[in-house]
Amino acid sequence: MNDIECATDFAWLPKVELHCHIEGTMRPATVVDLAVANDIELPTRDVESLFQYEDLTGFLDVFWLVQSVLATPDDWERLAFESMIDGAAHGLRYREAFFTPARHLAAGQDLGEIIAALDRGLDMAERITRARCALILDFDRDFGAAAADAHMTELVSLKRAGRPGTERVIGIGMDSTELGVDPMSFVSAYSQAPEAGLRRTAHQGENSGADAIRAAVDGLGCERIDHGISIFEDPELVRRFADEQIPLTVCPNANVRINPGVVADLGDHVFPIMRDADLLATLNTDDPALVGLDLDQEYALCAETFGYDTGDMVAIALDAACASWLDDCDASVLMVEIKAAAAGAARAAADARSAAEARPLMPLSA
Ligand code: ADE
Ligand code: ZN
């Protein structure tokens, strides 16, 4: 729910989202419901004022508060179900969603139960919508490298045991505070990924420098970077990302709302410069409920602000399918669907134009 008005509408465009925290999709009403059910104190039950913050630190406090209401497997299941129902309503067809269970595991929850519950909720939503969702286990940097190591070991053993839902977990990432954290301190957890068949990404360059982006790619083996907006500090790295088409999962509106000290206005965002530099830069919401906009609005606001036409937005949607961790066959199916929707939208626009031209003019004095 939000009050953003966009002149354009991309609900018709099948969209792929690669940077979205499932906890950040939680409906405000669900936050309140779960807080009451689990006896967790909220600063307010006024859904409008619950999601208020001034900067990344304040935002993370709200994010952690939202996470804290997830106390039982049923809560995770409900979150996953509602998340995909809400996404699909705005043209989402495929998402690779982060979940960050560090604080829940520290509080005694069980990783296998969390994954199974997320899987149940996603499965139910997938039966109702045409949208699909894979999961990425994010390490919370605030909990440190030892916790990441332990979570990685647990994930690998759950996957090896074929525990329910673990086939949905296709990769690892890390989020939360970037400043003052050396990405290389997480090398032990990341180095276990290839053998377990897990893909690798990391939040870097949201408020860390290009050196941290480079370390994530070279030192941790990341195949994608989440945010990456500081990449232009290092022109050689920009060329490398363009040459190797290393994807960046960019969240322009979230950057403005969460981090106005870094990106004051959507018009100041480097997203169009990334696209002009041939970077594989995709559009994402990050935390749609907390940021107050859906993926359709993300596309519409970026189109309006950066002067993109329908063809540009279709190209961005296709790039997201290409940057996904789907196998080639499934990615191609999505691309065909995106192209078919684009062709349909072009036909509808042409029909509307000819209908308008064929309409007889109203006489002035009828
Ligand atoms: N967790 C959820 N959203 C985040 C963001 N934008 N940056 C870091 N950690 C996050
Ligand atoms: Zn994020």
Side-chain angles (χ1 to χ4, degrees), residues 359-366:
R359 208 171 294 135
L361 288 174
M362 287 280 284
L364 280 178
S365 52

Side-chain angles (χ1 to χ4, degrees), residues 59-130:
F59 169 82
L60 288 172
D61 285 340
V62 176
F63 185 76
W64 293 335
L65 178 71
V66 168
Q67 285 188 319
S68 74
V69 305
L70 292 160
T72 71
D74 283 354
D75 302 340
W76 288 96
E77 182 177 330
R78 174 175 173 180
L79 167 69
F81 175 75
E82 292 179 352
S83 174
M84 286 309 283
I85 295 292
D86 294 349
H90 305 290
L92 179 72
R93 281 290 284 116
Y94 175 66
R95 179 185 273 161
E96 289 169 4
F98 300 117
F99 69 111
T100 311
R103 76 187 7 78
H104 310 92
L105 300 179
Q109 291 188 38
D110 179 84
L111 184 59
E113 282 181 7
I114 292 173
I115 292 172
L118 286 169
D119 182 55
R120 283 194 299 278
L122 294 173
D123 192 60
M124 222 184 327
E126 287 176 349
R127 287 165 198 263
I128 297 171
T129 69
R130 296 180 61 229

Side-chain angles (χ1 to χ4, degrees), residues 30-208:
T30 301
V31 179
V32 174
D33 263 9
L34 295 183
V36 171
N38 295 321
D39 212 10
I40 287 156
E41 201 172 322
L42 294 176
T44 169
R45 287 192 187 173
D46 167 20
V47 289
E48 292 296 317
S49 54
L50 200 55
F51 296 164
Q52 301 285 336
Y53 43 84
E54 308 268 305
D55 55 19
L56 182 58
T57 308
F59 169 82
L60 288 172
D61 285 340
V62 176
F63 185 76
W64 293 335
L65 178 71
V66 168
Q67 285 188 319
S68 74
V69 305
L70 292 160
T72 71
D74 283 354
D75 302 340
W76 288 96
E77 182 177 330
R78 174 175 173 180
L79 167 69
F81 175 75
E82 292 179 352
S83 174
M84 286 309 283
I85 295 292
D86 294 349
H90 305 290
L92 179 72
R93 281 290 284 116
Y94 175 66
R95 179 185 273 161
E96 289 169 4
F98 300 117
F99 69 111
T100 311
R103 76 187 7 78
H104 310 92
L105 300 179
Q109 291 188 38
D110 179 84
L111 184 59
E113 282 181 7
I114 292 173
I115 292 172
L118 286 169
D119 182 55
R120 283 194 299 278
L122 294 173
D123 192 60
M124 222 184 327
E126 287 176 349
R127 287 165 198 263
I128 297 171
T129 69
R130 296 180 61 229
R132 299 282 170 271
C133 185
L135 292 169
I136 300 171
L137 189 153
D138 248 10
F139 306 129
D140 184 328
R141 272 182 273 244
D142 252 35
F143 280 73
D149 240 8
H151 301 161
M152 185 65 179
T153 305
E154 176 71 3
L155 175 63
V156 172
S157 90
L158 290 168
K159 276 182 89 69
R160 294 228 164 99
R163 289 281 298 276
T166 52
E167 68 291 343
R168 239 187 233 282
V169 184
I170 59 169
I172 55 163
M174 58 181 173
D175 62 33
S176 174
T177 321
E178 290 179 19
L179 276 180
V181 181
D182 177 2
M184 288 309 289
S185 55
F186 289 82
V187 71
S188 165
Y190 272 78
S191 64
Q192 299 173 50
E195 210 191 316
L198 289 161
R199 312 294 295 264
R200 286 170 285 186
T201 186
H203 281 56
Q204 290 302 164
E206 182 181 25
N207 67 350
S208 57

Side-chain angles (χ1 to χ4, degrees), residues 245-261:
Q245 290 289 278
I246 301 171
L248 293 166
T249 67
V250 190
C251 312
N253 282 288
N255 291 147
V256 174
R257 283 155 205 235
I258 295 174
N259 236 348

Side-chain angles (χ1 to χ4, degrees), residues 235-291:
E236 196 276 327
L237 193 62
V238 174
R239 275 193 298 279
R240 175 154 162 228
F241 267 60
D243 287 348
E244 296 177 22
Q245 290 289 278
I246 301 171
L248 293 166
T249 67
V250 190
C251 312
N253 282 288
N255 291 147
V256 174
R257 283 155 205 235
I258 295 174
N259 236 348
V262 175
V263 187
D265 191 80
L266 189 56
D268 301 329
H269 200 281
V270 292
F271 185 77
I273 305 174
M274 289 172 158
R275 299 282 306 171
D276 287 348
D278 288 330
L279 295 174
L280 188 51
T282 65
L283 278 182
N284 308 272
T285 57
D286 207 356
D287 299 279
L290 271 66
V291 164

